[in-house]
Amino acid sequence: MKQSQLFGRTLREAPADAQTAGTQLMLRAAIARPLAAGLYTWLPLGFRVARKVEQIIREEQDRIGAQEIRIPVITPAEYWKETGRWDTLEPVTFRTKDHGGHEYMIGYTHEELVMHHARNEILSYRQLPTMVYHFQEKGRDEQRPRAGLLRTREFVMKDAYSLDKDWEGLDRQYWAQHGAYERSFARMGLDAISVESDTGNMGGDVAHEFQVLTEVGEDRIIFCTKCDYRANMEKATRALPPEAAAPRDVPAFQQIATPGITSIDGLTASLRIEAKDLLKTLLMKDAAGNVVAVVMPGDRELNEPKLRKLLKTSDVKLAGEADFAAANGVAGFVGPNNLNAKILVDVSVAGGRPYVAGANKKDTHLGDVLFGRDFTGEKVDVHDVREGDACPKCGGAVAIKRGVEVGNIFKFGPYYADKMNASYLAEDGTRKPIMFGSYGIGIGRAVQTIMETNHDEKGLLWPLAVAPFHAHVVSLLGKDDSVRTSADELVAELEAAGIDVLYDDRDESAGVKFADSDLIGIPFRLTVSARTLKEGAVELKRRAEEKGAMVPRGEIIGKMRALIGERRA
Amino acid sequence: MKQSQLFGRTLREAPADAQTAGTQLMLRAAIARPLAAGLYTWLPLGFRVARKVEQIIREEQDRIGAQEIRIPVITPAEYWKETGRWDTLEPVTFRTKDHGGHEYMIGYTHEELVMHHARNEILSYRQLPTMVYHFQEKGRDEQRPRAGLLRTREFVMKDAYSLDKDWEGLDRQYWAQHGAYERSFARMGLDAISVESDTGNMGGDVAHEFQVLTEVGEDRIIFCTKCDYRANMEKATRALPPEAAAPRDVPAFQQIATPGITSIDGLTASLRIEAKDLLKTLLMKDAAGNVVAVVMPGDRELNEPKLRKLLKTSDVKLAGEADFAAANGVAGFVGPNNLNAKILVDVSVAGGRPYVAGANKKDTHLGDVLFGRDFTGEKVDVHDVREGDACPKCGGAVAIKRGVEVGNIFKFGPYYADKMNASYLAEDGTRKPIMFGSYGIGIGRAVQTIMETNHDEKGLLWPLAVAPFHAHVVSLLGKDDSVRTSADELVAELEAAGIDVLYDDRDESAGVKFADSDLIGIPFRLTVSARTLKEGAVELKRRAEEKGAMVPRGEIIGKMRALIGERRA
């Protein structure tokens, strides 16, 4: 491929709004271009990477027996209505109507559609297990697209769907996908780890995410420093310290004047206590408008995804003034005593010790409030685990790192079959629900994560397996045609040997050409110049290394074949 | 691939609404399934065909130097508004809005998006020529989806776009695409011919369609029976007969009483004249509400696409009552004399001879009406060519056949660049418009056309190059495991030899398995049974032939490799 005809030009400077190093390089190297917020066109260089990533995933899906299909982008409302996701997904999806007034969603994902086909195609246990997958555009109306291809509003996802007779079969296919994911990410140069995760708006219960640890990630991952426990913050739990024996004589709670003091910091300073000795009570409202009070120690943070999951709602937010009045709560002085609301008590609240809590009265708190004696409520786990907490598996200290979720797998069981009436005739003559799992990888996010984790200050550093080209031939043209002629020949020989070559045939300076080569980040650079011709050689430089070396012209094809082959194996 | 795990079941009967033989077989063989009118999911068997068709097209695009990219499905309104197609395409497109109120179209095609990228990426003549293409879903809100995958509301199109400095460059790339199309269709087993065509809502002037002749096609193609002239009916012209010398004494026109006679047939019967001696005058209204009168001989039909093109409008229809009144026309008795409307006179109307025409007065026609003397108007070509007309190129008789348009190519020139202000810095220092062409092939339509033209009464007959599998191994299971074991081994050996195998391992009768095999239509069937085992052989039958033949087991792999290789070459 001649660089003079390559569609897409490199940029000296990244646009000012490029948020991460990988995004800046993605734009500068002409990998993709935005059409609007969160909508990107893959340019030829980037699309070659995307296709290689796609092919790695395809091979690993085929290896575990998944069958490729293709479901439309435009999906009829009727199927989404069967599961209730027509409504719950509304805030994050694109909708359209045809001229006859029928409603459609641009597929957010495709569970409902696969389950619809499954209930028509699968009559008997003899057709199970089976597994299908497709690569298809998804539309998601993200409020804040970010970091180039990391979070966009349209992207191609490989989504696979397993269909089984029972839990054992589902378990087998779930872990087959887990293995396919490990191999896929490793092959594309991503160091992805699997962590337990929340199922969010997908339904079901068991799920894992594949996370690549990088500071540009938005997810927080909990790791045990002693054992192999790891989980997304949305799902992570901790081992609670043993409860102290109830102190013998806790006096009855008493009012404490706290004029104008409404913050944790204010209370700890004025009362000379620690945040963990306080109870904070959060009045929260779900998507349907129901209000609950969440009670937790003052040193702990609410984990909203855990609360949403618990309340089976798509959204929670702080309650408003009218809700406070209805609950008999006073903003800044809310406490669990005599509160007219459903009370959820986080498991971090200890049963045997006194706390300071809001009095539901202006400028007043209560001392010596005891859970169980002075208030009660449903025990729940809705707090954030934090650095240093005890691992739920071994008790060791946990640590937190940032990660990008590059894949996720969900074990739904009969969740979708029950809602969509998808059953098969079992061997025992009864009808049973089709057990279901789904498995997703976003192509653009994978490519952006590769860029975020493979670059230096000069540009990208593509892993060989996904590099847009194997070799970048750079010709430093001189006064006569000898360099061009020699470079043309070299490119023809390399291509005949099955090596993908980008050929910088442009009439530009060595400085411009080398800078572009570093920016684009093809693994091997081969320079042809008057100097290399004089030596009867080609200069071979790995992108990741500072210095190149002269390789005799007669040896270069064999050398390159070995290098490509070595890395491919 | 084991048939017992294949997702998608064959059907004994096609749904009653399947319109064509190919559609019936497509559904029965589990190639694709509808989700809603005109929205289909590719099942595994069908998707394997679609991928092979896609890969043939990709190879032929790469061969002429086109670079693969990928543009989103969700396309911002702003680009479409630059060319005016946001409005003109409204009736046939799907629209959506994000939650911030911004408008998008599900891409009907992608000219505007490519031209937008081109104006940003291409600064100088040194970056031209270049050519890009992509495979992407298109959304088209067709009022009447039909014939399975032949006309759907969402489909993957390969669309390519050429970008050039000048007409010569555009011409070169246009014909390079023409050649790539010829090779692509030939490789996938379609006998496609190129015909001149109208550019419709695409803009520009020069265009060709690739048509496959079949009775299920909706297009009518004009052929010269003497020379190589061929054109879509929407574009076809004819050589007009020489005008007769004006007759010496045509009397002034006179009223003829025609009480209640408003049809051509009624007039010819009652006045004892031929239809060609009459003038019919059609009051037509364009999309903007403008009314024109089209005058043509009574034996000729209006060609609406020609009229739309002439009027630069997306729609024409018969005018309504109010329009008749405004034009001073009387329905059933309209004529060109004293009509208060713009008059378009089809070239079929001869200048030197008298006609009978409507009098714009109830129950009245006029005799001896002369074009040029009694009425006048702009001469236009808006009539349908018909069987037996004279070829515009050689004067020979033309014939008409039905065809399916499987591809089209458009030479726009500066049309899009002018509207979108897309220019480059030319060698002479001036800014010039980027010359543009676009080139489309719909994957689903190609696959459906292959099915329509490759089947018999038992099922499909896939050409080897696009067949979902090369070989169909059918095991006729007996009392012991010997057949299964032998078939398992055969499949393993075939797959190791690089032959794609569908393996019918199901515990079904020979009748069911052979019927399914004929229905699915894989080119070679290999049967393993107690009988073939006894003979130390495998029965090899071509799908297209009635009878199979025994091939010694030791020779079958070599034989199959030769058969697949032969056909591939």
Side-chain angles (χ1 to χ4, degrees):
Chain A
M1 164 93 235
K2 286 187 176 177
Q3 205 164 334
S4 61
Q5 295 188 356
L6 183 67
F7 187 74
R9 64 196 175 90
T10 56
L11 309 175
R12 291 294 146 253
E13 304 280 340
D17 60 350
Q19 294 157 317
T20 64
T23 307
Q24 290 163 11
L25 293 171
M26 180 273 286
L27 293 169
R28 287 187 52 210
I31 298 302
R33 287 282 182 262
L35 273 178
L39 296 175
Y40 283 84
T41 292
W42 290 103
L43 295 181
L45 274 185
F47 195 66
R48 292 180 73 96
V49 178
R51 287 253 303 155
K52 289 187 182 187
V53 166
E54 178 183 309
Q55 186 57 24
I56 286 171
I57 296 169
R58 175 175 289 119
E59 287 169 12
E60 295 300 335
Q61 291 296 307
D62 290 346
R63 188 201 299 269
I64 60 170
Q67 301 164 50
E68 191 166 358
I69 62 172
R70 183 117 180 199
I71 310 171
V73 170
I74 303 170
T75 60
E78 58 188 283
Y79 305 114
W80 300 98
K81 287 180 177 171
E82 292 185 53
T83 61
R85 293 212 292 176
W86 180 255
D87 293 327
T88 56
L89 289 178
E90 197 287 323
V92 287
T93 49
F94 293 95
R95 304 298 170 92
T96 187
K97 280 185 187 175
D98 65 21
H99 290 77
H102 302 100
E103 294 176 305
Y104 304 86
M105 179 195 294
I106 295 180
Y108 174 89
T109 167
H110 283 84
E111 279 79 13
E112 281 80 351
L113 297 313
V114 172
M115 196 44 98
H116 167 69
H117 287 303
R119 67 187 172 188
N120 285 335
E121 303 299 326
I122 294 171
L123 306 180
S124 131
Y125 69 92
R126 278 180 287 194
Q127 296 169 271
L128 294 171
T130 188
M131 185 144 57
V132 294
Y133 71 101
H134 73 158
F135 290 93
Q136 183 58 293
E137 306 282 342
K138 311 294 178 199
R140 297 189 178 180
D141 192 11
E142 299 278 358
Q143 282 193 310
R144 280 167 293 122
R146 72 179 279 274
L149 308 172
L150 209 56
R151 191 165 63 200
T152 56
R153 300 198 294 167
E154 178 181 329
F155 57 96
V156 171
M157 180 188 273
K158 183 287 299 174
D159 34 334
Y161 302 91
S162 64
L163 301 155
D164 276 284
K165 284 189 284 192
D166 49 32
W167 282 106
E168 290 68 37
L170 171 54
D171 204 54
R172 224 168 1 249
Q173 296 215 83
Y174 185 85
W175 288 104
Q177 282 287 356
H178 194 281
Y181 273 46
E182 290 180 319
R183 286 188 298 276
S184 298
F185 292 124
R187 286 180 61 187
M188 66 182 81
L190 285 176
D191 189 11
I193 55 170
S194 92
V195 306
E196 286 181 28
S197 68
D198 180 40
T199 53
N201 60 26
M202 301 298 292
D205 198 43
V206 177
H208 283 83
E209 289 168 355
F210 287 78
Q211 291 275 353
V212 173
L213 302 179
T214 157
E215 277 308 304
V216 307
E218 284 191 300
D219 289 336
R220 292 171 303 159
I221 313 301
I222 306 288
F223 288 82
C224 179
T225 55
K226 289 249 174 73
C227 78
D228 65 354
Y229 178 74
R230 50 205 184 195
N232 191 305
M233 186 71 105
E234 303 178 354
K235 178 82 176 181
T237 58
R238 64 181 177 117
L240 297 169
E243 297 230 341
R248 283 177 214 153
D249 305 302
V250 179
F253 65 80
Q254 69 286 158
Q255 294 195 1
I256 305 173
T258 50
I261 306 177
T262 59
S263 70
I264 302 282
D265 284 351
L267 286 166
T268 55
S270 114
L271 304 181
R272 295 174 185 253
I273 56 175
E274 292 185 69
K276 67 181 170 59
D277 301 323
L278 283 160
L279 287 183
K280 62 179 170 195
T281 303
L282 302 168
L283 276 191
M284 305 297 294
K285 188 146 88 167
D286 73 8
N290 303 309
V291 172
V292 295
V294 178
V295 181
M296 50 177 43
D299 65 336
R300 287 283 167 182
E301 298 301 326
L302 174 66
N303 185 295
E304 285 194 10
K306 284 186 181 177
L307 182 61
R308 283 200 300 268
K309 172 105 185 157
L310 183 77
L311 299 178
K312 297 190 172 81
T313 184
S314 60
D315 189 39
V316 291
K317 55 186 176 189
L318 289 169
E321 270 185 51
D323 304 311
F324 273 88
N328 189 35
V330 176
F333 304 93
V334 186
N337 293 24
N338 297 316
L339 196 62
N340 185 22
K342 178 175 182 185
I343 294 180
L344 302 176
V345 181
D346 185 72
V347 292
S348 305
V349 175
R353 49 104 83 218
Y355 288 98
V356 170
N360 296 319
K361 180 177 168 191
K362 193 162 159 48
D363 295 339
T364 312
H365 280 76
L366 300 177
D368 290 322
V369 172
L370 272 189
F371 174 43
R373 182 188 75 179
D374 302 326
F375 72 95
T376 187
E378 183 186 344
K379 272 248 178 177
V380 297
D381 179 348
V382 293
H383 68 284
D384 256 4
V385 173
R386 68 184 174 210
E387 194 103 17
D389 276 346
C391 169
K393 215 165 147 184
C394 78
V398 300
I400 298 178
K401 291 183 182 171
R402 289 210 161 262
V404 171
E405 177 199 335
V406 289
N408 48 35
I409 60 179
F410 298 93
K411 196 189 280 190
F412 300 127
Y415 181 88
Y416 281 87
D418 288 346
K419 289 183 183 287
M420 296 185 70
N421 195 24
S423 65
Y424 69 95
L425 185 66
E427 284 179 88
D428 63 8
T430 64
R431 296 207 68 85
K432 293 188 174 166
I434 297 173
M435 303 296 273
F436 201 40
S438 89
Y439 312 90
I441 301 178
I443 306 295
R445 180 174 290 188
V447 173
Q448 186 69 49
T449 307
I450 293 169
M451 291 188 283
E452 298 290 354
T453 54
N454 292 272
H455 65 81
D456 61 18
E457 71 288 353
K458 291 180 189 165
L460 299 166
L461 277 143
W462 292 109
L464 185 58
V466 298
F469 293 91
H470 300 131
H472 197 176
V473 170
V474 175
S475 63
L476 304 182
L477 302 174
K479 283 165 223 148
D480 60 33
D481 276 349
S482 58
V483 168
R484 183 178 295 280
T485 306
S486 177
D488 286 354
E489 284 168 9
L490 175 65
V491 169
E493 284 179 43
L494 287 165
E495 288 181 343
I499 295 164
D500 291 339
V501 181
L502 180 64
Y503 174 23
D504 192 348
D505 60 329
R506 299 173 302 164
D507 188 11
E508 297 278 1
S509 72
V512 165
K513 292 173 101 161
F514 286 153
D516 270 352
S517 184
D518 283 341
L519 174 59
I520 294 171
I522 293 166
F524 300 100
R525 189 183 79 193
L526 297 172
T527 305
V528 180
S529 66
R531 190 168 71 86
T532 71
L533 284 191
K534 214 159 100 187
E535 294 191 32
V538 171
E539 192 207 44
L540 167 63
K541 190 183 97 61
R542 288 171 192 260
R543 171 63 182 86
E545 291 172 3
E546 268 305 299
K547 285 203 169 280
M550 288 296 185
V551 177
R553 178 62 178 80
E555 294 173 19
I556 191 69
I557 303 297
K559 173 93 179 167
M560 285 305 299
R561 287 179 72 149
L563 284 170
I564 307 298
E566 264 172 36
R567 297 290 186 97
R568 266 184 179 165
Chain B
M1 165 93 235
K2 285 186 177 178
Q3 205 165 336
S4 61
Q5 297 189 357
L6 184 67
F7 187 74
R9 63 193 177 92
T10 56
L11 309 176
R12 292 290 148 254
E13 304 281 338
D17 60 350
Q19 295 158 316
T20 64
T23 306
Q24 290 163 12
L25 293 170
M26 181 272 286
L27 293 169
R28 289 187 51 210
I31 298 302
R33 287 282 183 260
L35 273 178
L39 295 175
Y40 282 84
T41 292
W42 289 102
L43 295 180
L45 273 184
F47 195 66
R48 292 180 72 97
V49 178
R51 288 254 302 154
K52 289 187 182 187
V53 166
E54 178 182 310
Q55 186 57 24
I56 287 171
I57 296 169
R58 176 176 288 119
E59 287 169 11
E60 295 301 334
Q61 291 295 308
D62 289 347
R63 187 202 299 269
I64 59 169
Q67 301 165 49
E68 192 166 358
I69 62 173
R70 184 118 177 195
I71 310 170
V73 170
I74 303 170
T75 59
E78 59 189 281
Y79 306 114
W80 300 99
K81 287 180 178 171
E82 293 185 53
T83 61
R85 291 212 294 177
W86 179 255
D87 293 326
T88 57
L89 289 178
E90 197 289 322
V92 287
T93 50
F94 293 96
R95 305 297 171 89
T96 188
K97 280 185 188 177
D98 65 21
H99 289 77
H102 303 100
E103 294 176 303
Y104 305 87
M105 180 196 294
I106 295 181
Y108 174 88
T109 168
H110 283 84
E111 280 78 12
E112 281 80 351
L113 298 313
V114 171
M115 195 43 98
H116 168 69
H117 287 303
R119 67 188 172 187
N120 285 335
E121 303 299 325
I122 294 172
L123 306 180
S124 127
Y125 69 92
R126 278 180 288 193
Q127 295 168 272
L128 294 172
T130 189
M131 185 144 58
V132 295
Y133 71 101
H134 74 156
F135 290 92
Q136 183 59 292
E137 307 281 342
K138 312 293 176 198
R140 297 188 178 179
D141 192 10
E142 298 278 357
Q143 283 192 311
R144 282 167 293 124
R146 74 180 278 274
L149 308 172
L150 209 55
R151 190 165 63 199
T152 56
R153 299 200 295 168
E154 178 182 329
F155 58 94
V156 171
M157 181 188 274
K158 183 287 299 173
D159 34 333
Y161 302 91
S162 63
L163 302 155
D164 277 284
K165 284 188 285 192
D166 49 33
W167 282 106
E168 290 68 37
L170 170 54
D171 203 54
R172 225 171 358 251
Q173 297 214 81
Y174 184 85
W175 288 103
Q177 282 288 356
H178 194 281
Y181 273 45
E182 290 180 319
R183 286 189 297 276
S184 298
F185 292 122
R187 286 181 62 187
M188 65 182 80
L190 285 176
D191 188 12
I193 55 169
S194 90
V195 306
E196 287 182 27
S197 68
D198 181 40
T199 54
N201 59 27
M202 302 297 292
D205 196 44
V206 177
H208 284 84
E209 289 168 357
F210 287 78
Q211 291 276 352
V212 173
L213 301 181
T214 156
E215 277 308 303
V216 307
E218 284 189 301
D219 289 336
R220 292 172 302 160
I221 314 302
I222 305 290
F223 288 81
C224 179
T225 54
K226 291 248 174 71
C227 77
D228 64 353
Y229 178 74
R230 47 205 185 197
N232 192 304
M233 186 71 105
E234 304 178 353
K235 179 80 175 183
T237 57
R238 63 179 177 120
L240 297 170
E243 298 229 342
R248 285 179 213 154
D249 304 302
V250 178
F253 64 81
Q254 70 284 159
Q255 294 195 358
I256 307 172
T258 50
I261 306 176
T262 59
S263 71
I264 302 282
D265 285 348
L267 287 166
T268 55
S270 116
L271 305 181
R272 298 176 183 249
I273 56 175
E274 291 185 68
K276 69 182 170 57
D277 300 322
L278 282 160
L279 287 181
K280 63 180 170 194
T281 302
L282 302 168
L283 274 191
M284 305 296 296
K285 187 147 89 168
D286 73 8
N290 303 310
V291 172
V292 296
V294 179
V295 182
M296 50 177 43
D299 64 336
R300 286 285 166 181
E301 298 301 324
L302 174 66
N303 185 295
E304 284 194 11
K306 283 186 182 178
L307 182 60
R308 283 201 299 270
K309 172 106 185 158
L310 182 77
L311 299 177
K312 297 191 172 79
T313 184
S314 60
D315 189 38
V316 290
K317 55 185 176 192
L318 288 169
E321 271 186 51
D323 304 312
F324 274 88
N328 188 36
V330 177
F333 304 92
V334 187
N337 291 25
N338 297 316
L339 194 64
N340 185 21
K342 180 179 182 183
I343 295 181
L344 302 176
V345 182
D346 185 73
V347 292
S348 306
V349 175
R353 49 107 78 219
Y355 287 98
V356 170
N360 296 319
K361 182 178 167 189
K362 192 160 159 49
D363 295 339
T364 312
H365 279 76
L366 301 176
D368 289 323
V369 171
L370 272 188
F371 172 45
R373 184 189 73 181
D374 301 326
F375 72 96
T376 186
E378 185 187 341
K379 271 247 179 178
V380 297
D381 180 347
V382 293
H383 68 284
D384 257 5
V385 173
R386 69 187 173 208
E387 195 104 17
D389 276 347
C391 167
K393 217 165 144 186
C394 78
V398 300
I400 298 179
K401 291 184 184 171
R402 288 209 162 262
V404 171
E405 177 198 334
V406 289
N408 49 34
I409 60 179
F410 298 94
K411 194 189 281 189
F412 299 127
Y415 180 88
Y416 281 88
D418 287 347
K419 287 182 185 289
M420 296 185 68
N421 196 21
S423 64
Y424 69 94
L425 186 65
E427 282 179 89
D428 63 9
T430 64
R431 296 206 70 83
K432 292 186 176 169
I434 298 174
M435 303 296 272
F436 200 39
S438 91
Y439 313 90
I441 301 178
I443 306 295
R445 179 174 291 188
V447 173
Q448 186 68 49
T449 307
I450 293 169
M451 293 188 282
E452 298 291 355
T453 54
N454 291 272
H455 66 82
D456 61 19
E457 72 288 352
K458 292 180 190 166
L460 298 166
L461 278 143
W462 292 110
L464 185 59
V466 298
F469 293 91
H470 300 130
H472 197 178
V473 171
V474 175
S475 63
L476 304 182
L477 302 175
K479 285 163 224 152
D480 60 32
D481 276 349
S482 58
V483 167
R484 184 179 294 281
T485 307
S486 176
D488 286 354
E489 285 168 9
L490 175 65
V491 169
E493 284 178 44
L494 287 165
E495 288 180 342
I499 294 165
D500 291 340
V501 180
L502 180 64
Y503 174 22
D504 192 347
D505 60 330
R506 298 173 304 164
D507 189 11
E508 298 279 2
S509 71
V512 164
K513 293 173 100 161
F514 286 153
D516 271 352
S517 184
D518 283 341
L519 175 58
I520 294 171
I522 293 167
F524 300 101
R525 188 183 80 193
L526 298 172
T527 304
V528 179
S529 67
R531 190 167 72 87
T532 72
L533 284 189
K534 214 159 98 187
E535 296 190 32
V538 172
E539 192 208 45
L540 167 63
K541 189 183 97 61
R542 288 171 191 260
R543 171 64 182 85
E545 292 173 3
E546 269 306 299
K547 288 207 168 275
M550 289 294 186
V551 178
R553 177 65 178 79
E555 295 172 17
I556 191 69
I557 303 296
K559 174 95 180 167
M560 286 303 300
R561 288 178 71 149
L563 285 170
I564 307 298
E566 262 172 39
R567 296 293 186 97
R568 267 185 176 165

